[in-house]
Amino acid sequence: MMVNAELAKGIYQVGAVDWATRDFHGYKTPRGVTYNSYLIVDEKICLIDAVKAPFAKELLERISQIIDPAKIDYIIVNHVEPDHSSAMPLLMQAAPQAKVVITEQGRGEIIKYFGQEYDFRVVKNGDSLSLGKNTLRFVPLPMLHWPDSMATYLEEEQILFSNDAFGQHYSTNFKFDDENDLSELLYEAKKYYANILMPFSKLVVKALDSLGLLSIRMIAPSHGLIWRSHIGEILSLYKKWSTGETDPLVLVVYDSMWGSTEMMARRILEGLTAGGIKAKLFRMADSDKSELIAELLTARGLICGSSTLNNGMLPTMAAVLYYMKGLKPLNKSGAAFGAYGWAGGAQADMELALKAAGIELEMTGPTLKWAPNQDEIQRCFEFGREFGQKMLNR
Ligand code: FEO
């Protein structure tokens, strides 16, 4: 027997918890992943979003505990990315009469992914679908974060099925926000936003405006926990994150070959501390870039350091700066520093990469040959203090 959470009368979460996955296309998931799917039992039977293919059997077992999957009338595909749709071929075999409700963009994606023409019902903004007592209204959210993305709103119960938006990669055996540790949940929501939605922040601002017109009693994403007690908090955090509001926080992100750049990083951190600003140190040889990006979302300053290798920055720093460029962080000030041997290169390389990521160069960081002497160590400290004060005054 499997336990399916009931959101309201006749509305169930029948998705799967993937406790073991630790990597979601490069995003590290130390707390696992979930693929939520929602079953609405009314005069018409409707399933909102499916799961990743390896969990298709579990989805069907969960549905079967409530109704025969063959009775499903509608399958709403809010988003075609395979974590939600790759169970479709098996699901459609079990529910052959189901109509697939989807945006026009999603229809094309499904056909190309699975080579199948299902019985599609294409919807656009504001279209609705009556299930009997319940009415679904569709809210396309193009490029949040794929062209096909959409949310589905259940009018009578005021539940927003938001798909990726408001999600978290978070495995727990409970299903609702108030059943779990709130700070852990909010951190996972922040990490998810930073790594998945950050490049689309301007569109998130618009989406929040249109969703603001709805009365929302519950937000049921397709990853992680369902929001029913902390809706105000998550909506206001989404507003903060999407508008690029920052906290007085500076990240020192570096890698070091023989310890000189590391000595500089630590002394810069001391300078930041002396200036009274919160700061965190990440050595990229050992740090997870998804966690760094979660911190970057609301950080005001980013100081990058690297030893010079082959006239450029270390590959670990290049990887994280390249990842950042795609994520288009908002409202950050940066600087670069590092040690070199006979010729430099890393600092200029990092400055170019920071600019390419849309990060404004606030100051020129220290650079030095071989290992730092006492004067150079002091210069790192002063640089940290000055940078921190600029960030506090910004
Ligand atoms: Fe959870 Fe964009 O898929």
Side-chain angles (χ1 to χ4, degrees):
M1 182 73 186
M2 290 168 164
V3 178
N4 295 316
E6 194 167 12
L7 284 66
K9 192 166 167 29
I11 303 170
Y12 306 89
Q13 212 282 64
V14 290
V17 179
D18 180 356
W19 292 90
T21 284
R22 292 290 177 269
D23 184 289
F24 189 94
H25 55 53
Y27 171 157
K28 297 292 175 215
T29 55
R31 293 192 172 100
V33 177
T34 51
Y35 315 106
N36 299 348
S37 174
Y38 298 97
L39 182 71
I40 304 177
V41 179
D42 198 337
E43 287 164 30
K44 298 286 184 187
I45 311 288
C46 175
L47 186 76
I48 300 180
D49 291 330
V51 296
K52 193 169 151 184
F55 297 89
K57 196 162 163 279
E58 178 176 338
L59 173 68
L60 290 172
E61 278 178 43
R62 288 182 178 276
I63 295 170
S64 299
Q65 287 187 178
I66 303 164
I67 49 114
D68 178 355
K71 293 186 174 162
I72 295 175
D73 297 289
Y74 297 106
I75 296 172
I76 314 288
V77 178
N78 278 323
H79 177 32
V80 178
E81 193 164 7
D83 51 328
H84 306 289
S85 75
S86 53
M88 282 293 283
L90 211 62
L91 180 61
M92 292 306 291
Q93 281 175 27
Q97 65 166 7
K99 292 181 173 52
V100 175
V101 181
I102 194 163
T103 60
E104 180 60 38
Q105 290 86 351
R107 189 182 75 93
E109 292 169 19
I110 282 272
I111 292 169
K112 190 66 169 61
Y113 257 113
F114 304 116
Q116 292 282 337
E117 280 278 0
Y118 298 127
D119 185 1
F120 292 110
R121 176 167 170 174
V122 170
V123 290
K124 55 187 187 322
N125 194 26
D127 283 357
S128 60
L129 174 67
S130 174
L131 302 177
K133 294 188 192 72
N134 293 292
T135 313
L136 298 175
R137 199 189 321 162
F138 303 103
V139 187
L141 301 171
M143 290 318 298
L144 282 182
H145 65 131
W146 275 22
D148 58 275
S149 297
M150 170 171 89
T152 297
Y153 178 63
L154 177 51
E155 291 183 350
E156 289 76 7
E157 295 292 346
Q158 302 179 342
I159 300 175
L160 182 72
F161 297 96
S162 59
N163 192 264
D164 279 340
F166 310 107
Q168 329 93 47
H169 283 325
Y170 190 26
S171 292
T172 86
N173 63 326
F174 294 119
K175 302 294 178 219
F176 294 98
D177 55 356
D178 47 38
E179 297 173 320
N180 286 269
D181 180 280
L182 184 61
S183 60
E184 202 171 273
L185 168 63
L186 292 177
Y187 171 74
E188 291 300 336
K190 181 180 185 184
K191 186 177 169 191
Y192 188 95
Y193 183 98
N195 283 276
I196 305 281
L197 293 173
M198 183 153 57
F200 311 104
S201 286
K202 282 187 184 147
L203 294 170
V204 174
V205 173
K206 278 194 192 164
L208 290 174
D209 285 345
S210 38
L211 296 178
L213 303 173
L214 305 174
S215 297
I216 298 175
R217 189 173 68 79
M218 209 177 278
I219 299 176
S222 293
H223 295 293
L225 298 172
I226 297 162
W227 304 91
R228 67 178 176 189
S229 295
H230 299 284
I231 291 175
E233 280 110 308
I234 192 61
L235 285 173
S236 90
L237 284 169
Y238 261 57
K239 185 169 181 200
K240 173 178 177 171
W241 300 335
S242 60
T243 53
E245 192 183 325
T246 59
D247 297 324
L249 167 67
V250 177
L251 307 181
V252 181
V253 178
Y254 73 98
D255 210 350
S256 185
M257 286 172 71
W258 294 106
S260 296
T261 300
E262 177 152 288
M263 285 168 70
M264 296 172 77
R266 288 180 174 275
R267 210 44 75 104
I268 289 169
L269 187 85
E270 291 299 322
L272 289 162
T273 307
I277 194 162
K278 186 172 178 184
K280 294 187 180 182
L281 198 70
F282 288 83
R283 178 180 156 118
M284 289 320 296
D286 317 301
S287 299
D288 165 30
K289 69 180 183 329
S290 349
E291 286 177 3
L292 163 67
I293 294 298
E295 296 290 347
L296 182 71
L297 179 61
T298 50
R300 195 166 293 169
L302 172 68
I303 303 176
C304 288
S306 176
S307 322
T308 290
L309 175 72
N310 302 330
N311 300 114
M313 68 179 122
L314 289 166
T316 41
M317 289 305 297
V320 74
L321 282 163
Y322 184 77
Y323 186 49
M324 250 177 231
K325 179 183 162 195
L327 291 171
K328 301 184 174 71
L330 295 172
N331 300 334
K332 315 292 173 208
S333 297
F337 70 95
Y340 61 93
W342 54 100
Q347 188 178 34
D349 228 10
M350 287 185 289
E351 286 179 349
L352 276 176
L354 284 165
K355 280 197 235 171
I359 296 170
E360 190 183 328
L361 290 179
E362 182 74 35
M363 291 175 70
T364 301
T367 183
L368 57 88
K369 206 164 181 177
W370 303 123
N373 60 29
Q374 271 315 108
D375 285 350
E376 288 164 332
I377 280 290
Q378 185 61 26
R379 195 149 54 83
C380 290
F381 180 87
E382 294 303 337
F383 162 75
R385 180 152 59 185
E386 191 182 342
F387 188 95
Q389 277 165 356
K390 282 176 185 283
M391 293 303 99
L392 282 174
N393 295 330
R394 205 185 80 182

